[in-house]
């Protein structure tokens, strides 16, 4: 049972009905049962691992709080984090490390006897592990009291709308919302259904329509440079539509239950720098890295070179978190290099913009920065999308080859689309961009729509729903669901 299914919509409709029909004191039982049922439908074998991690984190949090000295609290916290990361490391990284050591041993002509292990990656382990780590660290820092109600804590760990791929929530924000008695409000139901429908729109009409087209290029060893360029740009659109759709559905479902999740995307492809991009893309993950990796690494550091090392380490961890492959390691390092280079050359680039009078036209200057940032992000995604390091470097070379960017070659590359698929994608991509445009001019597209005449706004709602039903492509899993 995935988010993009009739089964999930029926399941969720029942949950909402029962949620508002029963007394508040029993709602935590419903949410917990719904969360475990949903997870079991996706990854039944690993419900026990989720239960174990939950129980361990619950006990560890209380033990941290009970310690008398800061030093003792830190020891318990580190042990707790170490165990959680061991679970994550075993399931997600054992074979990556094992294969890397085997390759090194073969290169050095050293006998290496540890065999490959058949290890299945539990769904959502990266996400709930990060939530657990933030919970333990916040207790240690004194920002949070350890939760004593095991039921509420278990919901925080496994809340089904955001369990699979976030947003990565902090206990301080999410736990109190479970304890507040939520009343049935029209605005919550209305907003939630709109966000869910919009998530279905982006997933089925943009992401899932692009997925096989992008795959046809990246799976083709004889793809041309222009095809790699086009497919990489399309993959960036696909990845955004896919992941932001997942967040839309999660936010919409939670809102219908009266719970507000953190916004995870703010039009990242309109960022004017790599730093701005990471303030807009997977925001809860970016702030997690900032608060629990980058800030501790920078503690007591004053030299710019030391800060740069912290940036590189932070993005290296980001790459490793995304996937157990060297291509993800390089992807993280590329973004770390972008951030360091961008900071180091900020003044020089400002002077260059003044020298060529680019800054005299702020609007044009802004769009130049948006275009450059987008292309830099696209280049990094060659490593994100490629199946191996060898393929990634081959594709990256093609991406950077000047002849790959010839207009005639790019036009020819559009042959990867059928005429019908291209027309359908172009239409719905324009619709998505119109929503983005309204959002940039207003705080919320949905609030703006609610102020339009009833005929106009319901025409938009009908367009979204009918488009999904008629033209929506299904069958593709969420990209970030595998992390």
């Amino acid at each position: 049972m995935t988010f993009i299914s009739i089964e999930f919509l029926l399941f969720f409709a029942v949950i909402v009905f029962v949620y508002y029909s029963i007394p508040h004191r029993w709602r935590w039982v419903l949410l917990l049962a719904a969360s475990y049922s949903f997870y079991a439908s996706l990854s039944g074998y690993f419900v026990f691992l989720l239960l174990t991690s939950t129980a361990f984190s619950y006990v560890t949090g209380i033990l941290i709080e009970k310690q008398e000295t800061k030093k003792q609290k830190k020891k318990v916290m580190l042990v707790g984090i170490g165990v959680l990361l061991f679970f994550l490391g075993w399931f997600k990284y054992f074979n990556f490390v094992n294969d890397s050591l085997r390759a090194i041993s073969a290169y050095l002509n050293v006998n290496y006897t540890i065999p490959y292990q058949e290890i299945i990656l539990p769904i959502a382990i990266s996400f709930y592990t990060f939530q657990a780590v933030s919970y333990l660290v916040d207790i240690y820092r004194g920002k949070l009291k350890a939760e004593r109600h095991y039921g509420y804590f278990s919901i925080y760990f496994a809340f089904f709308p955001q369990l699979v791929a976030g947003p990565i929530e902090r206990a301080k924000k999410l736990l109190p919302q479970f304890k507040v008695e939520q009343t049935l409000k029209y605005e919550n139901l209305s907003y939630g259904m709109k966000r869910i429908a919009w998530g279905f729109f982006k997933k089925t009409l943009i992401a899932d329509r692009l997925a096989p087209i992008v795959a046809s290029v990246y799976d083709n060893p004889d793809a041309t440079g222009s095809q790699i360029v086009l497919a990489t740009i399309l993959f960036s659109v696909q990845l955004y539509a896919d992941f932001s759709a997942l967040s839309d559905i999660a936010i919409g479902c939670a809102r219908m239950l009266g719970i507000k999740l953190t916004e995870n995307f703010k039009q990242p492809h309109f960022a004017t720098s790599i730093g701005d991009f990471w303030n807009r893309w997977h925001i809860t993950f970016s702030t997690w890295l900032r608060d629990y990796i980058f800030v501790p690494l920078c503690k007591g550091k004053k030299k710019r070179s030391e800060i740069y090392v912290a940036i590189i380490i932070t993005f290296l961890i980001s790459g490793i978190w995304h996937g157990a492959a060297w291509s993800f390691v390089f992807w993280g390092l590329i973004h770390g290099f972008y951030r360091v280079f961008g900071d180091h050359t900020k003044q020089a680039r400002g002077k260059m913009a003044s020298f060529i009078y680019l800054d005299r036209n702020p609007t044009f200057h802004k769009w130049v920065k948006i275009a450059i940032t987008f292309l830099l992000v696209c280049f990094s995604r060659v490593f994100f999308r490629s199946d191996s390091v060898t393929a990634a470097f081959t594709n990256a070379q093609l991406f950077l080859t000047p002849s790959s960017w010839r207009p005639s070659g790019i036009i020819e590359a559009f042959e990867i689309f059928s005429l019908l698929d291209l027309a359908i994608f172009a239409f719905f991509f324009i619709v998505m961009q119109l929503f983005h445009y309204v959002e940039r001019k207003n705080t919320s597209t949905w609030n703006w729509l609610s102020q339009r005449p009833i005929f106009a706004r319901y025409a938009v709602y009908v367009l979204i729903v009918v488009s999904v039903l008629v033209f929506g492509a299904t069958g593709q899993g969420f990209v970030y669901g595998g992390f």
Side-chain angles (χ1 to χ4, degrees):
M1 179 170 60
T2 64
F3 273 170
I4 305 294
S5 67
I6 297 297
E7 292 83 0
F8 175 76
L9 292 178
L10 293 173
F11 166 80
F12 184 65
V14 171
I15 295 301
V16 172
F17 176 78
V18 176
Y19 181 79
Y20 288 111
S21 301
I22 61 177
H24 169 68
R25 65 180 181 274
W26 298 114
R27 287 179 181 174
W28 71 266
V29 178
L30 173 68
L31 290 181
L32 191 57
S35 296
Y36 286 144
S37 297
F38 179 70
Y39 189 77
S41 73
L42 297 173
S43 187
Y45 293 109
F46 294 108
V47 171
F48 180 73
L49 177 63
L50 177 61
L51 292 169
T52 302
S53 297
T54 303
F56 176 78
S57 301
Y58 173 79
V59 173
T60 304
I62 294 174
L63 288 176
I64 293 172
E65 193 173 73
K66 286 185 174 180
Q67 303 307 305
E68 296 181 355
T69 67
K70 197 77 171 177
K71 187 175 182 180
Q72 291 173 328
K73 290 177 184 289
K74 187 174 184 178
K75 284 183 178 180
V76 176
M77 177 196 70
L78 291 176
V79 170
I81 292 175
V83 172
L84 291 168
L85 293 181
F86 172 79
F87 288 152
L88 177 63
W90 170 260
F91 286 101
K92 191 168 184 176
Y93 302 108
F94 176 83
N95 279 326
F96 169 59
V97 175
N98 194 27
D99 291 344
S100 298
L101 291 175
R102 186 182 296 109
I104 294 172
S105 298
Y107 179 78
L108 298 174
N109 200 26
V110 175
N111 186 32
Y112 187 80
T113 58
I114 299 177
Y116 177 86
Q117 302 294 316
E118 292 292 339
I119 299 175
I120 301 174
L121 179 65
I123 290 176
I125 188 171
S126 297
F127 289 90
Y128 69 67
T129 297
F130 269 32
Q131 287 202 172
V133 169
S134 69
Y135 173 76
L136 298 182
V137 173
D138 285 351
I139 293 174
Y140 163 73
R141 290 175 176 175
K143 294 182 177 180
L144 182 71
K145 292 288 186 182
E147 178 58 50
R148 263 35 182 205
H149 192 292
Y150 189 70
Y152 285 126
F153 178 78
S154 298
I155 301 171
Y156 164 70
F157 219 81
F159 187 44
F160 71 95
Q162 49 92 219
L163 169 64
V164 175
I168 301 172
E169 294 289 353
R170 310 289 175 90
K172 190 174 183 179
K173 176 183 178 179
L174 195 55
L175 270 170
Q177 295 191 71
F178 296 137
K179 300 176 182 180
V180 174
E181 183 172 359
Q182 306 291 347
T183 57
L184 182 61
K185 295 180 180 178
Y186 169 78
E187 54 266 33
N188 283 340
L189 294 180
S190 175
Y191 181 80
M193 286 189 287
K194 292 170 188 175
R195 287 297 292 265
I196 292 170
W198 186 235
F200 270 67
F201 181 95
K202 288 194 285 188
K203 173 63 174 169
T204 64
L205 295 169
I206 304 294
D208 284 358
R209 282 195 162 275
L210 286 179
I213 293 169
V214 171
S216 70
V217 175
Y218 268 88
D219 295 343
N220 180 8
D222 299 319
T224 66
S226 295
Q227 288 177 333
I228 290 294
V229 168
L230 178 60
T232 303
I233 292 172
L234 293 176
F235 175 64
S236 291
V237 176
Q238 174 203 337
L239 189 63
Y240 164 72
D242 187 280
F243 196 12
S244 64
L246 190 53
S247 291
D248 283 328
I249 296 171
I251 290 168
C253 288
R255 182 63 68 86
M256 291 181 71
L257 298 170
I259 295 166
K260 294 183 178 181
L261 299 181
T262 306
E263 290 292 340
N264 220 13
F265 293 88
K266 291 182 180 178
Q267 301 191 31
H269 291 157
F270 289 89
T272 55
S273 68
I274 295 298
D276 186 31
F277 172 82
W278 281 104
N279 288 330
R280 295 164 173 262
W281 174 273
H282 203 349
I283 297 168
T284 56
F285 177 63
S286 299
T287 54
W288 193 98
L289 289 173
R290 180 197 66 198
D291 295 343
Y292 301 104
I293 302 295
F294 179 70
V295 171
L297 286 174
C298 289
K299 190 175 182 180
K301 305 290 193 302
K302 294 183 179 180
K303 294 181 179 179
R304 179 153 294 195
S305 60
E306 294 175 326
I307 304 298
Y308 288 165
V309 170
I311 290 173
I312 295 294
I313 293 173
T314 301
F315 277 101
L316 176 61
I317 291 172
S318 171
I320 294 171
W321 178 87
H322 274 84
W326 283 106
S327 54
F328 286 108
V329 173
F330 281 106
W331 171 81
L333 289 174
I334 287 170
H335 274 274
F337 170 77
Y338 284 164
R339 289 290 284 116
V340 169
F341 181 82
D343 182 81
H344 189 68
T345 61
K346 186 175 181 179
Q347 289 186 344
R349 288 184 290 112
K351 291 179 181 179
M352 179 62 71
S354 296
F355 180 75
I356 61 176
Y357 303 112
L358 186 60
D359 58 353
R360 291 194 176 184
N361 188 332
T363 300
F364 180 70
H365 189 196
K366 175 185 175 182
W367 282 101
V368 168
K369 291 192 289 185
I370 288 173
I372 292 173
T373 302
F374 178 69
L375 291 176
L376 290 173
V377 170
C378 285
F379 173 73
S380 73
R381 283 174 175 162
V382 171
F383 290 82
F384 197 101
R385 181 59 180 80
S386 298
D387 295 328
S388 67
V389 173
T390 302
F393 276 101
T394 299
N395 293 332
Q397 184 177 5
L398 288 170
F399 187 89
L400 294 175
T401 301
S403 61
S404 299
W405 291 85
R406 286 184 297 108
S408 59
I410 299 294
I411 292 172
E412 289 179 8
F414 272 94
E415 293 178 356
I416 60 178
F417 283 96
S418 70
L419 185 59
L420 178 62
D421 283 337
L422 180 59
I424 293 173
F425 165 72
F427 176 77
F428 292 118
F429 179 75
I430 291 171
V431 171
M432 185 173 72
Q433 295 310 313
L434 289 174
F435 266 70
H436 286 169
Y437 175 79
V438 172
E439 195 168 76
R440 288 197 299 275
K441 299 296 180 180
N442 303 270
T443 55
S444 168
T445 302
W446 304 112
N447 290 340
W448 180 84
L449 272 175
S450 67
Q451 297 167 7
R452 301 306 102 191
I454 187 170
F455 176 80
R457 65 174 181 266
Y458 275 95
V460 174
Y461 303 152
V462 170
L463 170 67
I464 292 173
V465 174
V466 172
S467 297
V468 170
L469 293 175
V470 176
F471 297 103
T474 58
Q476 298 287 336
F478 286 96
V479 175
Y480 269 72
F483 297 149

